[in-house]
Amino acid sequence: MISITNLTKDYKTKKGTITGVDNVSLTVNEGEVFGIVGYSGAGKSSLLRCMNLLERPTSGEIRVDGLDLTKLKGEGLRQARLKIGMIFQHFYLISQKTVGENVGFALKAAKLPKDQIAKRVDELLEMVGLTDKRDVYPAQLSGGQKQRVGIARALANNPSVLLCDEATSALDPNTTLSILRLLKKINRELNITIVLITHEMNVVKEICDRMAVMQDGRVIEEGDVYDLFSDPKADLTKEFISSVVSFDVPQPILAACTGSVIKVQFKGAVAGEGIITDTVQHFDVKGNFLHGSIEYIQEKPLGLFLMEIQGRPDNIHRAITYMEGRGATVEVILNGI
């Protein structure tokens, strides 16, 4: 669907050339929700804006549905962009136009007949839950409603790709969740490929299928969201994931532990099994939970627990071996043996 090869974007400044995107190669599959994560200045917005040539890359190739956008200009590029919708962080609605007029703006620019524009606007407003707001102005809307207008506008020309530039960063948590659920609904029902950039891992956890982590203009890690949450490799990825799944235990509590402290992770169906309970029952050890949770990522459970385990060294070793044999990943944080 989207194939990016050796993409570089340089910016000329008074202090010299700054590389915003540094030789990035990525593939986004048809029909998936792909997240690009990074802190401010990582290059994620520059990469996203290159995907529809709002910014023309310095070098490299961008193919959407097999078409190399970097080779297009003028009318050819305009036609290609019609199939790539974009949603912005700050909405960018026209304040002097009604909701219906904002949504229909792109259709009017495409010179569709008035009756077709009216019908399409009705369809889009129903899709985003704003049928009753057609004749009101943006100033009368909440932030979430404004973003729904932005989504409807981005869908006007039946795009195959939807680019989301920090689409929920200006919204409160409850509104963010409703917008993410709307995007997921659009993705599933219309089979629209969605690429979103964010610095919030909860956004990725909620709707993304795969993700890439950017730092200093480069992609430092990418893959299936569940795999990266359960086994991150790069330090920055671990840092981002810790904002959602944290194992920070106060040092005084760790210092008070007399046994071994272990981190236990369960993936998939194993997370629903009573492995820790079985371990304590079958071996002469005692378990003391310090921290634990089960997260649901891509509708699959990921169990994460931090616990103190006490007993004879051989029993502790047998208990850990047993848990690993049942499919758990066990890491010794503090060896009290």
Side-chain angles (χ1 to χ4, degrees), residues 11 42-50 55 165-166 197 214:
Y11 297 93
K44 56 189 189 298
S45 289
S46 294
L47 177 60
L48 191 82
R49 289 170 177 268
C50 284
E55 293 191 17
D165 188 0
E166 296 276 10
I197 64 169
M214 290 192 71

Side-chain angles (χ1 to χ4, degrees), residues 61-93:
E61 181 179 277
I62 303 167
R63 289 186 176 273
V64 179
D65 288 334
L67 191 64
D68 186 357
L69 300 187
T70 61
K71 299 290 195 296
L72 300 179
K73 293 182 180 179
E75 181 62 17
L77 179 58
R78 191 185 76 81
Q79 290 298 321
R81 280 178 174 158
L82 290 177
K83 291 301 180 182
I84 306 174
M86 191 158 187
I87 305 169
F88 302 93
Q89 177 182 359
H90 298 295
F91 320 128
Y92 297 119
L93 303 180

Side-chain angles (χ1 to χ4, degrees), residues 29 63 90 104 221 232 250 261 320:
N29 300 320
R63 289 186 176 273
H90 298 295
E221 190 166 10
V261 177
I320 290 175

Side-chain angles (χ1 to χ4, degrees), residues 7 35 46 68 78 101 121 125 127 139 157 161 240 252 255 265 278 283 295:
L7 187 76
S46 294
D68 186 357
R78 191 185 76 81
E101 289 169 338
V121 168
L125 291 180
M127 183 181 301
N157 286 303
V161 175
F240 271 114
Q265 178 175 280
D278 292 346
F283 299 92
E295 301 288 340

Side-chain angles (χ1 to χ4, degrees), residues 26-293:
L26 278 177
T27 298
V28 180
N29 300 320
E30 182 177 359
E32 75 177 351
V33 181
F34 191 93
I36 301 174
V37 181
Y39 288 122
S40 178
K44 56 189 189 298
S45 289
S46 294
L47 177 60
L48 191 82
R49 289 170 177 268
C50 284
M51 289 186 191
N52 61 357
L53 260 64
L54 282 181
E55 293 191 17
R56 188 170 284 273
T58 305
S59 62
E61 181 179 277
I62 303 167
R63 289 186 176 273
V64 179
D65 288 334
L67 191 64
D68 186 357
L69 300 187
T70 61
K71 299 290 195 296
L72 300 179
K73 293 182 180 179
E75 181 62 17
L77 179 58
R78 191 185 76 81
Q79 290 298 321
R81 280 178 174 158
L82 290 177
K83 291 301 180 182
I84 306 174
M86 191 158 187
I87 305 169
F88 302 93
Q89 177 182 359
H90 298 295
F91 320 128
Y92 297 119
L93 303 180
I94 304 170
S95 59
Q96 295 83 10
K97 293 186 179 293
T98 65
V99 165
E101 289 169 338
N102 268 278
V103 174
F105 185 78
L107 297 170
K108 187 176 180 180
K111 299 181 180 179
L112 262 68
K114 286 186 177 181
D115 59 334
Q116 290 186 30
I117 292 176
K119 181 180 179 182
R120 181 62 176 155
V121 168
D122 286 342
E123 292 172 351
L124 292 165
L125 291 180
E126 182 177 359
M127 183 181 301
V128 301
L130 290 179
T131 301
D132 61 334
K133 303 296 182 182
R134 180 182 179 121
D135 298 320
V136 306
Y137 289 86
Q140 300 170 268
L141 302 177
S142 66
Q145 290 171 332
K146 289 177 182 177
Q147 194 56 285
R148 286 173 180 267
V149 176
I151 292 170
R153 179 184 57 191
L155 295 174
N157 286 303
N158 293 303
S160 57
V161 175
L162 199 56
L163 306 180
C164 304
D165 188 0
E166 296 276 10
T168 61
S169 294
L171 306 175
D172 64 73
N174 288 336
T175 306
T176 291
L177 186 58
S178 70
I179 293 297
L180 293 178
R181 286 173 176 170
L182 174 59
L183 289 174
K184 192 62 178 178
K185 176 184 176 183
I186 289 167
N187 165 253
R188 287 176 173 172
E189 293 184 0
L190 303 181
N191 196 39
I192 292 178
T193 303
I194 297 179
V195 180
L196 62 86
I197 64 169
T198 184
H199 59 274
E200 300 172 288
M201 288 303 292
N202 274 317
V203 170
V204 175
K205 174 175 170 283
E206 184 67 29
I207 69 167
C208 290
D209 301 304
R210 293 194 304 126
M211 61 180 283
V213 181
M214 290 192 71
Q215 185 177 32
D216 298 328
R218 290 180 172 270
V219 171
I220 61 170
E221 190 166 10
E222 66 173 296
D224 182 90
V225 169
Y226 189 91
D227 292 341
L228 263 61
F229 264 79
S230 61
D231 189 23
K233 304 300 184 186
D235 288 341
L236 182 60
T237 309
K238 294 176 183 178
E239 184 178 325
F240 271 114
I241 289 171
S242 69
S243 67
V244 178
V245 182
S246 176
F247 278 100
D248 292 334
V249 177
Q251 187 59 39
I253 293 179
L254 287 178
C257 293
T258 57
S260 295
V261 177
I262 60 175
K263 180 169 74 173
V264 187
Q265 178 175 280
F266 305 104
K267 296 182 182 180
V270 176
E273 299 177 4
I275 295 175
I276 293 178
T277 301
D278 292 346
T279 302
V280 174
Q281 289 176 347
H282 287 83
F283 299 92
D284 189 15
V285 294
K286 293 182 179 180
N288 176 30
F289 282 104
L290 303 176
H291 183 81
S293 66

